[in-house]
Structure formats: C-alpha cells, structure tokens
Amino acid sequence: MSRPHSLGRIETVRAFAPGRVNLIGDHTDYTGGLALPMAVEMGTTVTGRRGGRSVVLSSDALPGDAVFDLPVSGPLQLDGWGRYVEAVAAGVHPESGLTGRVTTDLPIGAGLSSSASLEVAVALALGHPGPPLDLARTCQEAEHMASGVPCGLMDQLVSVAAVEGQALLIDFTDLSVRPVPVPPDIEVVVIHSGEERRLAASAYAERRRSCEEAAALIGPLRRATLDDVDGIADPVIRARARHVVGENTRVLSFAEALAAGDPAECGRLMLESHRSLSVDFSVSTPRLDAMVADLSGLPGVYGARLTGAGFGGCVVVLARPGAVWEGWRVRPSGGARVTVG
Ligand code: GLA
C-alpha cells in the first residue's frame, strides 16, 4: 500500500515556564557563587501551531505582535517583548515556524523574572530539545541579546530545572543544583515596591564589572575569605566583594536552616542579606529599605529582603501563614514543561 501524501504535519504545542522569586543569594550567580531561588506557580504560557517559516505570536499582556521570518540572523529587528522572542529564535534555530499566543499571569518587569519565563516558554514552544543547562544558557544569551543586560544564569536555570515543593540551591561554579524542600507551614510572600525596575540600566553591568575587578585582585570570590576582601584597597570594590563573599555563606546557612525547620534563622539571614545588598552592594532603594524594616517588625514575620537585581522591584517575605496580608503568596512550583500534540 502506498503511503498517503503528506499534508505537512501540523503540531500543536503548549509550553509553560514559571517565574521565580529568589529566597537568598543575589548578585552572586555571575560570580560563580551560590543562590537559592524557587520557581513560582505564576508564569508564561505559549500555545500555538508549529509549521511554516515564520513566527507570529500575540500577547494577552503586552501590545504589539512578534512577527518575523526564520531563520533569524544578523541584528535583532524587533522592539518590545517581540525582541525577546526573536532573540530566542536566533539561539534555538527552530525547524519550523510557530503561530500562536502568549499568555502570562506574572506581573511584568516586577522582579519575578517575567522575561526569563517568556524566553524559556518560547524556546520550548519553538522546539528546543531541552537538555536543561543548554536550554537555560540559550535563554540567558537571548536575554543578553534582547536587553543588553549581562545577567547571570539564575532566572533561566530555575525556570527550567525547578522541582515542585522545593527551592533550588544552585552552585554557579559547577552549575550543580540541589532541591531544598520549603516546609508547608512557612509562607513565602512577594510584595511589589511600586518602583519599576530598570534592569537594563547600566547599574547591573557596573556591579558585575566591580565583582570581576575584585576577582582579578583576590581570585574567584567563591573561594575568597573576608580576610582576602579586607586586603582590597578600593573601598567600593571592597564593599561589593564583601557582599558577595558574605552572601555565599548566608545562602548555605539559609539552606541548612530551612532543611532543619528553623525559619527564625532563615529570617535573620534574610535581613542580613538585605542589609548587605543595601549597604555594601548599593542596589536597594529607600522604599525597599522601609518595606523590609516595616515588614520585619510584624508579628509572625521571620524576615524580609529585596529579591532579584534590586533598584526597585519586589521584597520577599518569610512568614507564618496568614501573618502578611498584602502581596502574592507563592508556592514552590515545578520547572518548565511542554506538550506537543
Ligand atoms: C537578575 C539577573 C540574575 C541575577 C539577579 C541578581 O535577576 O537576571 O542573573 O544576577 O538579577 O541576583
């Protein structure tokens, strides 16, 4: 029997990638340090049909469509959210196009990694074969290309590799990950400061450069001690390095305290982390400082800190259930997933 003519198989696809909140360990990923982010249940979904040689996506959250032909080569042509989609396509080299829709229940640009979640969902929808580290790296490169911000790998890696019910202890020196259960009797609440973050602002790149300068003086910050840091002459570089070296230690202590069911110790470490991000790393704002001070005085709150890059965005709070009334209560979600029909 002869085979019927192929009508060109049309595949429907649905890809979801979560956003994240970082419990502790900020501005450490790009130094080979430690961080403990957790994926949240909010995220980005891409649904559509694969086929043809163009990408045509609309969004329920943002204006404009992402429309371009494959393959993507040369400088990116699009602006806005479409630029991220185009950058992902440049890295994925998809075999076929995609027509569909992007929906999200993440607040956009608020510090919950809406762009990483968009990148990972689009990469999967476009057919990235998915070894987790490759997928995260492709999306990190897309972020660099689209935004110009030299971000680390944390947001994309946790969106890809998260495990339901757990935060992810990530070691950015060897890129190993260890899930750490988040006890169900602890509430994680994320509260937006109302200050829009301009991550693309040069401040992030400047902080990253300072850390590289510090490492050129005293070696990899992951292995450096506070004594090594004290030997740095420049007070600004010294302060930046002090944050990173201290933060790595706090991440490990936090992971231990979480596993040991000691939320009070976790909270204490969060307050230390915030102080270090504010005083030594200078990425807080008066509003974030005031929120952390107010929240940490509430009964039932173990601790609070700015989360993510800073310069506005969100505060993460660890509390007894019901202690905090505002914000988003988030639970640790599993990582990105895709179904193809
Ligand atoms: C942003 C970046 C991450 C990380 C954090 C700060 O979210 O995308 O790579 O550097 O800031 O911890």
Side-chain angles (χ1 to χ4, degrees), residues 20 25-27 29-30 151-155 204 308-309:
R20 66 96 186 94
D26 272 311
H27 290 279
D29 59 350
Y30 51 77
C151 66
L153 192 60
M154 171 171 73
D155 307 342
Y204 184 96

Side-chain angles (χ1 to χ4, degrees), residues 36 50 89 145-146 206 318:
L36 189 69
R50 286 184 183 155
M145 256 209 259
E206 192 265 332
L318 210 66

Side-chain angles (χ1 to χ4, degrees), residues 17-21 40-44 60-62 103-118 190-197 307 313-315 327-330:
R20 66 96 186 94
V21 61
V40 299
E41 280 152 354
M42 295 179 277
T44 306
D60 72 335
L62 290 168
T103 55
T104 185
D105 55 359
L106 271 175
I108 292 176
L112 291 174
S113 285
S114 52
S115 61
S117 126
L118 172 66
V190 182
I191 306 174
H192 193 247
S193 63
E195 295 174 314
E196 214 180 299
R197 248 165 71 252
T307 181
C314 291
V315 164
W328 300 285
R329 247 150 286 275
V330 290

Side-chain angles (χ1 to χ4, degrees), residues 3-319:
R3 290 172 58 151
H5 282 304
S6 164
L7 295 175
R9 208 165 103 72
I10 293 189
E11 290 177 332
T12 58
V13 62
R14 180 188 181 84
F16 170 81
R20 66 96 186 94
V21 61
N22 190 19
L23 297 179
I24 194 160
D26 272 311
H27 290 279
T28 49
D29 59 350
Y30 51 77
T31 69
L34 299 167
L36 189 69
M38 72 177 218
V40 299
E41 280 152 354
M42 295 179 277
T44 306
T45 302
V46 178
T47 49
R49 276 179 297 111
R50 286 184 183 155
R53 292 306 293 157
S54 336
V55 172
V56 181
L57 290 175
S58 60
S59 157
D60 72 335
L62 290 168
D65 292 341
V67 180
F68 55 89
D69 291 331
L70 297 173
V72 175
S73 57
L76 301 178
Q77 302 296 320
L78 301 183
D79 289 324
W81 68 276
R83 190 172 176 81
Y84 291 79
V85 177
E86 200 188 2
V88 170
V92 172
H93 308 293
E95 276 170 19
S96 63
L98 177 71
T99 301
R101 192 157 176 74
V102 178
T103 55
T104 185
D105 55 359
L106 271 175
I108 292 176
L112 291 174
S113 285
S114 52
S115 61
S117 126
L118 172 66
E119 289 147 14
V120 174
V122 167
L124 287 173
L126 287 176
H128 190 289
L133 210 47
D134 281 7
L135 173 56
R137 281 207 175 106
T138 300
C139 293
Q140 179 195 23
E141 277 159 29
E143 175 80 37
H144 290 182
M145 256 209 259
S147 71
V149 177
C151 66
L153 192 60
M154 171 171 73
D155 307 342
Q156 290 82 6
L157 188 54
V158 70
S159 181
V160 169
V163 180
E164 180 84 41
Q166 330 240 353
L168 214 57
L169 176 59
I170 308 177
D171 181 333
F172 291 95
T173 292
D174 60 9
L175 293 173
S176 57
V177 300
R178 176 152 65 84
V180 180
V182 178
D185 59 345
I186 293 182
E187 207 155 70
V188 180
V189 185
V190 182
I191 306 174
H192 193 247
S193 63
E195 295 174 314
E196 214 180 299
R197 248 165 71 252
R198 286 275 153 255
L199 189 61
S202 53
Y204 184 96
E206 192 265 332
R207 295 301 184 285
R208 186 171 177 154
R209 267 197 310 278
S210 298
C211 292
E212 283 159 8
E213 264 182 63
L217 293 167
I218 60 172
L221 298 185
R222 176 64 195 291
R223 293 206 297 268
T225 64
L226 288 172
D227 277 350
D228 298 330
V229 170
D230 280 343
I232 299 177
D234 182 308
V236 173
I237 306 294
R238 187 166 65 234
R240 305 297 188 246
R242 188 163 51 226
H243 163 70
V244 173
V245 172
E247 189 81 346
N248 286 336
T249 310
R250 284 187 286 274
V251 171
L252 283 180
S253 307
F254 185 104
E256 270 169 31
L258 197 62
D262 186 355
E265 175 63 3
C266 291
R268 193 190 65 73
L269 291 160
M270 288 171 85
L271 290 174
E272 257 187 31
S273 165
H274 182 82
R275 208 171 306 120
S276 175
L277 285 161
S278 178
V279 175
D280 281 341
F281 218 69
S282 292
V283 293
S284 188
T285 63
R287 168 110 192 97
L288 288 169
D289 288 349
M291 285 172 71
V292 167
D294 290 351
L295 285 159
S296 55
L298 290 179
V301 168
Y302 302 115
R305 58 184 286 280
L306 76 81
T307 181
F311 317 108
C314 291
V315 164
V316 59
V317 189
L318 210 66

